[in-house]
Amino acid sequence: MSDLDERELQALGWEVARQLFVLIRIARTHGANNEAWGPALGKVNSAVKQADGIALRAVDGALYVGDVRLKVDRENYTAQEGVIRAFGTHCVGAVEINPGFDAMDLKNLLTTWGSSSPPTPEQGLELLSGALGDGEGIHLVKAPKPKSEEQKDSRHMAKAIYIRTLTAVEDVMESVKINQAFPLKRSKRVMQRLVDNLLADPVNLLGLTNLRCYDEYTYHHSVNVCVLSLSVGRRLGLPKPMLAHLGIASMFHDLGKSRIPVDVLNKPGEFDDHEWDMIRRHPVYGVKTIVKLKGADELASRVVTGSFEHHMGYDGSGYPKLPRQRTMSLYGRIISMCDCYDAMTSARVYNRTPATPERALKLMLSKSGKAFDSVMMKVFVNTIGIFPVGTLLLLDTGEIGVVFQANEDPAQGDRPYVRMITDTHGRELDTPEEVSLTETIAGGKFRWNITRILDPNDLEMDVSEFFL
Amino acid sequence: MPSQPPTDNPAGMDTESLDADTLKAIRDLVGHLLRSMKTMRLYAQTNTMYQRALADTGTRLAAHVSEYGPLSLRIDRERMLAGGETVHQDDDPKEGLAFRLYSDGLRGLTFKSGLDEVEARTAMQIIAEGASLATGEDDDVITLLWNAELDHLLMDVVDDDPPQGELVPTHKIEKPDERPQKLAQLVKAQAEAPEPPKRVAYGADVLKVFTLTDRDGAYLDDLMRREQEVDPAQDLVSILSDVLTIEENPDEFADTVGLFGTLITDFLSQGNLPMAASLGRGLVSCVASRKDLTTAMKERAMKELLTLGGGKPLAALEEGLGLLFGTEDTEPTITSPAKREQTMSALNTYLTLLRTTNLRTYLELASRTSDGQVRDMLCDHAVRMVPESHDALTGLLLELNTQLVICATDVLGRVGNTSDLLHFGSLTKSPDVNVRRAALEAITSIAGGSHPQVIPYLADPDPRLRRRALGIIEKGQMTEAVGMLREIAADPGFGEWEIAERRAVFFALGSLGKDELVPMFNRKLQGVKRGLFGGTKGEDDALLAIMGLKGAATESARQALEAGKACPSEKVAAACSGALRDMTVVTGEKA
């Protein structure tokens, strides 16, 4: 599309919408040979040419041209309703018309559209696609499944609790930095909400851990490790009080970093020996900070464990190095895995190209039994999936999807749930559709198969946009 | 059990108006629940009254929900509402249940359909007991209810932190113009490849690797069980000891040693000597094990230990107190004056370190020793810690530990007032004689002498308590005890009592009953004279009657005794003479 301002786009968009509405109506009432076709098609052609291509979409009862919503007025109301209705009866999500389109293709399309009353919307789309044939100038996009109210609400709630947790982490970390206190009471309440939300809807919160923010890396990282840890804890069937403790311990596992100068933490290059020494001390700093500010009550003790153990390594090969081997706690084992995973998959100042989720998992699996408890690794993989949440997949149909949920059945672990972000031609969908890769077609074959794991960095893509 | 963010109409919160019958049922239910909860707060958890009240709340609540459907209560500052109508108003705006729940942040409770008695009881116990059930700092009713994982209870909790801002990645990558092209190329490359693309899939063998086996399950169960058994405080000591072991930098070492000192002081001030000593041992052990410490670092560590315990190493403190109070594995053992001096010194040191104002700490210590002097010392300390409201103290009267109850009773006897007397009711009936004794002394102390609660002691199974009570009653001239004394005297078992005690009862009867009882005594005496009672029993009865007359000390009594001097029994006659000699008639003149 050319650089038009919004007003111009609105005008052109409405023009196309009106004409489509008119033509579909004409097709319904008068067939393909009415003289009104000519002028109407001409207007469409003109508008498409001016806009250098128009993609007219119907989303949640409104029409869009690109990202611009067409504002309804009295004049256009009928056209909008008519177009949305027509889209709905034929399962069309969007019509894309490129400059130089074949007017006959459009006529065929609209004639079929107007004259058909398909038994199901999906069959309607098939009819239209058949009428369109191989026309390059015009493209139809399938309408996504409508989101239930529940789905909309649960995603909203997941985002709300994620933000709330971020705020709580930030408040506590800032409070610790200036040595005021370690206010855990509010964090406890936030943790209760987080646990409840995760238990009710484990999918959306886990998806939000794909959110990366290297300006405020520590806070997001803390929340992500918390959500990941709780997801593992949920998988283990931990009771709520234990989940709450695990959550708090994981949320503040990096509290010790508050003692490390920011310029060291954010250094883009390699650390020198002194800086490495400081970094390696942050677990101990965390222990001392917590004990100083909170004393030795039960909750503080749990947080201390998380801080002390999260880099220790299951086999003691990490840090801090102890003269005698310490048996890592359950919480330590969980937090260390989640911390490592989130760190590897996050863009950092010194590493703008993070590992893909799948690669990170492979690296971690290579350390199973050494840095990580091997049985706990199994649980971790079962939680986030063999193709972890956020993995970008190329399918044999040409569609690209992003994993949003692991398959609960380990025997079908390589067939996760994905959000389709492109169509079979690689064109991005305005509204991703959620599918299960276990879906079969006639003959019992799988409808989709994974052919490649994609690196979003190669495509300059941030997968978190598909989870917000 | 989920908590809901507050909205105008949170999930499950019924704000629609209710019909009159349902509203009445809710009011009745809430009233009954509150009364039951009040009962629960009066008794120890093992007490049958408590158990009965708790069971009753569970049954009624579950039955209500079963009959009327979900019960939604909104919680206001001073009241509870259902369907927009007030169903409970706190009597005391600052002490009431609604205020207590409101302060914790609770704005609504919904008991959902399907609520069973067990869940109902659990919820009611938490709401009734509140923070007293808390094990963690800052644990409030909301956390306790949440931890209880009640499937059929919804809470509406005030939102301290409404979500702020939007969730936008700050480094969001704008969709570059090339992206559609790249995507299209990618797909096209696959479509145009000479061979169909290979599937990326994992075979069953690979997938099996990630399947948890039974053995894995057992491993995880064991791991979780061990996690639940961990003593967090001990684990913290272990971690701190590890930290100290690896500190190389002198300043950081000193900082960590200081941390040890702070924690030890904190534990000591809370009365947690075992934890303090454990930390102290950790400190000593670290210092001993490290060969790389400089002299300065070693001195720093030892200095910290020495400043604790008032100049005495913690170990000595622990040993001294262990002798005095015993430990988990040993009984109190003081075998010589020297040992005693050591233990008393340790105790004095400990008491100077003990900063807590929690009187329970002192009373618990006192309960662990039978040494009267030590107990008194600790109870004296406890007296100073009693706050204006005696609730904390009267609450201790319901404890299972009888020694603790006795110490608490002792303290309450010293500081209590007449309004505290109602708490002694169950103690006077305790199966433990020492508890009953402590209660009797406390009642007497508070009442400044006699009190109706002393009267039941006249029939106490223990003769010493009976005598004590009798003495109090006589001294206080408690004429209201006459009825009880008469019952006792008439009881068939009275004859089994020692003669001295029986005489004392009769003396008291006479002393309190005066002329009213003289005829009864006279009849007994006359009965002996007439030889109606044979043998020693007759003499015994006469002697009792004489004591009664002596106690009465009225003119009628004197006359009866005079007549008794003519009794054929020399013993009886002598007793009458003796009684007359000693008796001071109410006119004040010696007989």
Side-chain angles (χ1 to χ4, degrees):
Chain A
M1 268 186 270
S2 64
D3 287 327
L4 295 172
D5 68 20
E6 192 177 310
R7 209 163 48 158
E8 286 166 318
L9 260 181
Q10 289 262 351
L12 293 171
W14 275 124
E15 182 68 78
V16 170
R18 275 196 300 272
Q19 298 313 316
L20 287 183
F21 170 64
V22 163
L23 287 170
I24 291 172
R25 206 169 53 175
I26 288 174
R28 187 177 299 131
T29 53
H30 300 289
N33 297 316
N34 189 282
E35 61 190 14
W37 277 96
L41 280 173
K43 285 178 184 173
V44 172
N45 191 32
S46 173
V48 168
K49 220 185 224 174
Q50 275 189 64
D52 196 25
I54 277 185
L56 187 67
R57 298 186 293 134
V59 180
D60 290 339
L63 287 177
Y64 290 76
V65 169
D67 289 332
V68 175
R69 181 177 166 149
L70 297 183
K71 294 190 179 78
V72 176
D73 55 28
R74 230 171 349 160
E75 192 187 332
N76 296 315
Y77 179 77
T78 310
Q80 174 179 270
E81 291 303 295
V83 167
I84 288 174
R85 197 165 38 246
F87 274 37
T89 57
H90 288 72
C91 201
V92 172
V95 173
E96 294 172 4
I97 309 173
N98 296 317
F101 71 92
D102 189 334
M104 189 50 67
D105 285 342
L106 187 59
K107 192 174 178 183
N108 288 339
L109 173 70
L110 297 175
T111 308
T112 309
W113 207 327
S115 60
S116 62
S117 298
T120 67
E122 285 77 16
Q123 283 175 287
L125 183 62
E126 278 177 26
L127 271 172
L128 295 182
S129 301
L132 204 52
D134 296 325
E136 286 285 324
I138 301 169
H139 179 64
L140 291 176
V141 178
K142 185 180 176 182
K145 279 198 187 115
K147 254 191 232 163
S148 64
E149 282 305 314
E150 211 177 289
Q151 275 179 304
K152 284 184 204 158
D153 267 349
S154 67
R155 220 194 244 197
H156 172 76
M157 277 176 68
K159 274 195 265 184
I161 193 64
Y162 189 97
I163 294 170
R164 191 174 283 121
T165 311
L166 259 180
T167 311
V169 168
E170 191 177 341
D171 283 349
V172 170
M173 298 282 225
E174 289 303 307
S175 177
V176 165
K177 260 185 207 166
I178 54 178
N179 260 351
Q180 279 180 1
F182 191 15
L184 275 184
K185 185 170 184 179
R186 201 188 304 172
S187 300
K188 264 193 189 180
R189 194 70 83 230
V190 167
M191 191 49 54
Q192 288 164 9
R193 288 201 188 281
L194 188 62
V195 169
D196 285 338
N197 193 286
L198 192 80
L199 291 175
D201 170 27
V203 173
N204 283 306
L205 259 179
L206 198 55
L208 288 173
T209 59
N210 283 282
L211 193 66
R212 302 285 179 249
C213 179
Y214 54 64
D215 290 343
E216 292 181 340
Y217 167 74
T218 302
Y219 302 145
H220 278 259
H221 172 64
S222 297
V223 175
N224 289 344
V225 172
C226 176
V227 172
L228 286 164
S229 299
L230 286 176
S231 300
V232 173
R234 173 192 158 267
R235 190 87 189 187
L236 287 171
L238 296 184
K240 279 163 86 167
M242 281 185 83
L243 282 174
H245 280 161
L246 171 61
I248 297 270
S250 54
M251 206 150 89
F252 298 114
H253 71 283
D254 266 344
L255 198 71
K257 284 189 177 172
S258 58
R259 273 184 66 174
I260 298 177
V262 171
D263 52 351
V264 172
L265 282 177
N266 292 338
K267 185 178 176 182
E270 290 273 338
F271 291 133
D272 62 30
D273 288 346
H274 175 64
E275 287 161 346
W276 260 125
D277 187 53
M278 262 200 282
I279 293 289
R280 284 202 202 97
R281 284 190 61 77
H282 84 268
V284 170
Y285 286 153
V287 169
K288 290 165 77 167
T289 303
I290 293 160
V291 174
K292 272 181 193 163
L293 296 180
K294 198 70 185 142
D297 67 27
E298 185 187 355
L299 189 54
S301 303
R302 303 279 184 199
V303 181
V304 159
T305 307
S307 178
F308 191 60
E309 292 183 348
H310 75 280
H311 282 298
M312 206 187 300
Y314 174 64
D315 58 356
S317 58
Y319 58 89
K321 281 265 185 291
L322 301 177
R324 55 174 185 89
Q325 178 126 7
R326 175 183 163 86
T327 306
M328 216 174 179
S329 66
L330 170 66
Y331 292 171
R333 294 175 206 210
I334 294 172
I335 296 170
S336 65
M337 285 186 312
C338 299
D339 176 48
C340 179
Y341 176 79
D342 189 70
M344 282 204 281
T345 53
S346 297
R348 301 301 313 281
V349 171
Y350 51 81
N351 177 23
R352 296 282 168 133
T353 311
T356 60
E358 180 256 351
R359 175 178 279 282
L361 195 58
K362 269 197 178 131
L363 282 166
M364 287 173 68
L365 283 167
S366 70
K367 297 180 185 178
S368 177
K370 297 171 217 162
F372 307 113
D373 179 326
S374 55
V375 177
M376 291 302 305
M377 273 303 304
K378 281 190 189 181
V379 178
F380 185 71
V381 169
N382 287 330
T383 304
I384 64 167
I386 291 170
F387 297 112
V389 174
T391 303
L392 211 54
L393 302 171
L394 175 63
L395 306 174
D396 57 357
T397 55
E399 290 161 292
I400 295 172
V402 62
V403 176
F404 76 91
Q405 186 180 345
N407 195 317
E408 297 268 339
D409 178 6
Q412 295 202 300
D414 57 350
R415 293 200 163 270
Y417 295 84
V418 300
R419 285 188 181 128
M420 292 300 195
I421 61 174
T422 73
D423 62 14
T424 55
H425 298 284
R427 286 180 286 220
E428 285 189 66
L429 299 171
D430 294 315
T431 311
E433 185 188 347
E434 293 179 357
V435 303
S436 165
L437 295 191
T438 58
E439 192 177 318
T440 54
I441 51 177
K445 284 187 179 174
F446 287 112
R447 187 165 170 186
W448 295 282
N449 296 293
I450 302 168
T451 57
R452 203 166 134 195
I453 298 160
L454 301 173
D455 187 338
N457 299 299
D458 293 342
L459 301 167
E460 294 182 69
M461 188 181 279
D462 181 354
V463 295
S464 64
E465 69 180 86
F466 304 111
F467 294 95
L468 287 171
Chain B
M1 168 196 52
S3 53
Q4 305 287 329
T7 67
D8 288 338
N9 186 13
M13 299 305 298
D14 176 17
T15 56
E16 289 181 14
S17 57
L18 300 166
D19 62 73
D21 279 346
T22 306
L23 207 50
K24 182 178 181 313
I26 293 174
R27 284 200 175 103
D28 288 346
L29 172 72
V30 171
H32 192 93
L33 292 177
L34 286 168
R35 284 192 295 277
S36 294
M37 284 194 270
K38 203 172 172 182
T39 303
M40 284 160 63
R41 287 164 81 96
L42 286 175
Y43 295 93
Q45 289 185 18
T46 50
N47 190 294
T48 48
M49 295 295 290
Y50 180 102
Q51 293 296 326
R52 213 176 284 160
L54 179 60
D56 188 53
T57 59
T59 307
R60 283 182 181 262
L61 180 54
H64 175 96
V65 172
S66 177
E67 185 177 343
Y68 293 96
L71 171 65
S72 290
L73 298 171
R74 279 217 69 76
I75 294 161
D76 208 339
R77 196 180 288 274
E78 292 170 11
R79 55 186 183 144
M80 293 186 198
L81 302 96
E85 298 288 332
T86 301
V87 294
H88 161 73
Q89 176 86 41
D90 281 345
D91 294 330
D92 183 342
K94 285 189 186 158
E95 296 286 328
L97 178 65
F99 178 74
R100 191 157 54 82
L101 298 177
Y102 186 89
S103 306
D104 277 352
L106 202 55
R107 296 292 178 266
L109 279 171
T110 297
F111 299 96
K112 300 198 302 186
S113 294
L115 180 83
D116 63 30
E117 285 189 27
V118 173
E119 282 183 300
R121 268 203 300 276
T122 306
M124 286 294 103
Q125 185 172 29
I126 291 170
I127 291 169
E129 302 270 13
S132 67
L133 289 176
T135 53
E137 195 184 312
D138 301 327
D139 277 356
D140 52 18
V141 166
I142 292 168
T143 298
L144 292 170
L145 286 171
W146 189 86
N147 282 349
E149 300 192 68
L150 303 172
D151 292 329
H152 297 94
L153 177 66
L154 274 176
M155 287 192 291
D156 183 14
V157 176
V158 70
D159 232 331
D160 288 325
D161 301 293
Q164 294 161 32
E166 280 298 316
L167 210 62
V168 176
T170 61
H171 65 293
K172 186 175 169 63
I173 299 168
E174 295 302 322
K175 292 182 190 181
D177 292 338
E178 302 81 40
R179 189 158 109 184
Q181 199 179 351
K182 279 189 178 180
L183 288 169
Q185 275 171 355
L186 187 69
V187 173
K188 194 176 175 188
Q190 176 172 272
E192 290 175 355
E195 300 287 331
K198 276 190 188 155
R199 281 177 42 199
V200 174
Y202 297 111
D205 286 343
V206 174
L207 293 173
K208 212 170 153 184
V209 169
F210 300 112
T211 306
L212 288 166
T213 62
D214 287 344
R215 198 169 157 182
D216 292 337
Y219 174 86
L220 290 170
D221 284 342
D222 185 57
L223 196 57
M224 284 190 277
R225 182 188 48 76
R226 279 191 278 130
E227 185 68 34
Q228 285 173 306
E229 289 170 0
V230 160
D231 178 346
Q234 283 297 345
D235 196 42
L236 178 64
V237 171
S238 165
I239 289 175
L240 282 172
S241 299
D242 283 339
V243 168
L244 193 63
T245 306
I246 59 176
E247 288 286 19
E248 291 174 348
N249 178 285
D251 290 337
E252 290 289 346
F253 181 85
D255 185 51
T256 309
V257 167
L259 202 53
F260 266 76
T262 306
L263 280 178
I264 291 171
T265 306
D266 283 347
F267 280 129
L268 280 174
S269 72
Q270 293 160 21
N272 194 341
L273 180 57
M275 275 306 304
S278 181
L279 272 169
R281 279 193 292 277
L283 183 55
V284 166
S285 168
C286 286
V287 170
S289 67
R290 286 191 61 179
K291 309 298 176 206
D292 61 318
L293 289 181
T294 64
T295 309
M297 288 162 90
K298 278 186 202 166
E299 282 175 1
R300 176 71 183 83
M302 294 323 295
K303 185 182 167 192
E304 193 71 42
L305 270 175
L306 286 173
T307 56
L308 299 163
K312 292 178 173 45
L314 277 173
L317 191 66
E318 195 183 23
E319 190 199 342
L321 292 176
L323 290 172
L324 189 54
F325 298 109
T327 65
E328 274 183 21
D329 307 313
T330 61
E331 293 293 318
T333 320
I334 302 172
T335 53
S336 65
K339 282 284 185 199
R340 185 174 173 76
E341 194 183 325
Q342 176 191 352
T343 58
M344 292 308 290
S345 170
L347 178 61
N348 281 320
T349 302
Y350 186 55
L351 288 173
T352 59
L353 292 169
L354 208 55
R355 295 270 182 270
T356 183
T357 56
N358 185 340
L359 69 99
R360 186 191 180 106
T361 306
Y362 298 94
L363 292 177
E364 275 185 339
L365 264 179
S367 71
R368 286 168 55 190
T369 180
S370 55
D371 186 310
Q373 185 189 357
V374 172
R375 269 204 175 190
D376 279 343
M377 190 193 301
L378 288 164
C379 285
D380 282 343
H381 270 80
V383 164
R384 282 180 240 145
M385 305 301 161
V386 176
E388 203 177 301
S389 156
H390 296 163
D391 284 352
L393 196 46
T394 54
L396 291 174
L397 300 182
L398 305 173
E399 289 284 332
L400 291 175
N401 180 341
T402 50
Q403 294 305 316
L404 182 58
V405 170
I406 291 167
C407 294
T409 307
D410 176 25
V411 170
L412 190 57
R414 299 187 207 191
V415 305
N417 51 52
T418 50
S419 63
D420 294 317
L421 287 170
L422 62 93
H423 295 286
F424 289 107
S426 58
L427 298 185
T428 60
K429 301 183 193 75
S430 169
D432 188 310
V433 62
N434 295 309
V435 171
R436 297 199 305 275
R437 179 180 302 115
L440 176 60
E441 297 307 326
I443 290 166
T444 311
S445 173
I446 291 172
S450 54
H451 188 271
Q453 285 197 63
V454 175
I455 295 174
Y457 278 90
L458 292 171
D460 195 280
D462 187 280
R464 289 166 298 180
L465 286 181
R466 292 197 297 260
R467 278 198 291 277
R468 177 80 177 108
L470 198 57
I472 293 167
I473 284 166
E474 276 189 289
K475 191 174 173 187
Q477 284 292 294
M478 291 179 68
T479 53
E480 60 268 43
V482 168
M484 180 80 172
L485 286 167
R486 202 185 258 162
E487 275 178 36
I488 288 168
D491 190 272
F494 184 64
E496 306 300 320
W497 292 20
E498 285 186 17
I499 185 63
E501 195 177 354
R502 284 190 281 145
R503 283 180 194 159
V505 166
F506 266 80
F507 183 88
L509 257 175
S511 164
L512 299 172
K514 298 294 184 198
D515 272 345
E516 189 189 324
L517 294 175
V518 166
M520 182 187 86
F521 298 138
N522 211 12
R523 275 198 298 278
K524 280 189 182 292
L525 196 54
Q526 294 304 315
V528 170
K529 273 178 73 179
R530 288 191 219 123
L532 289 177
F533 308 113
T536 54
K537 187 189 182 301
E539 276 189 355
D540 287 344
D541 279 355
L543 291 171
L544 289 174
I546 289 165
M547 288 311 295
L549 290 167
K550 182 178 169 183
T554 61
E555 181 55 34
S556 310
R558 190 194 66 77
Q559 286 172 9
L561 283 169
E562 279 290 349
K565 282 183 344 186
C567 181
S569 161
E570 282 181 18
K571 198 171 177 183
V572 171
C576 285
S577 298
L580 279 165
R581 265 199 313 278
D582 297 336
M583 192 170 78
T584 304
V585 175
V586 293
T587 61
E589 294 173 4
K590 274 266 193 217

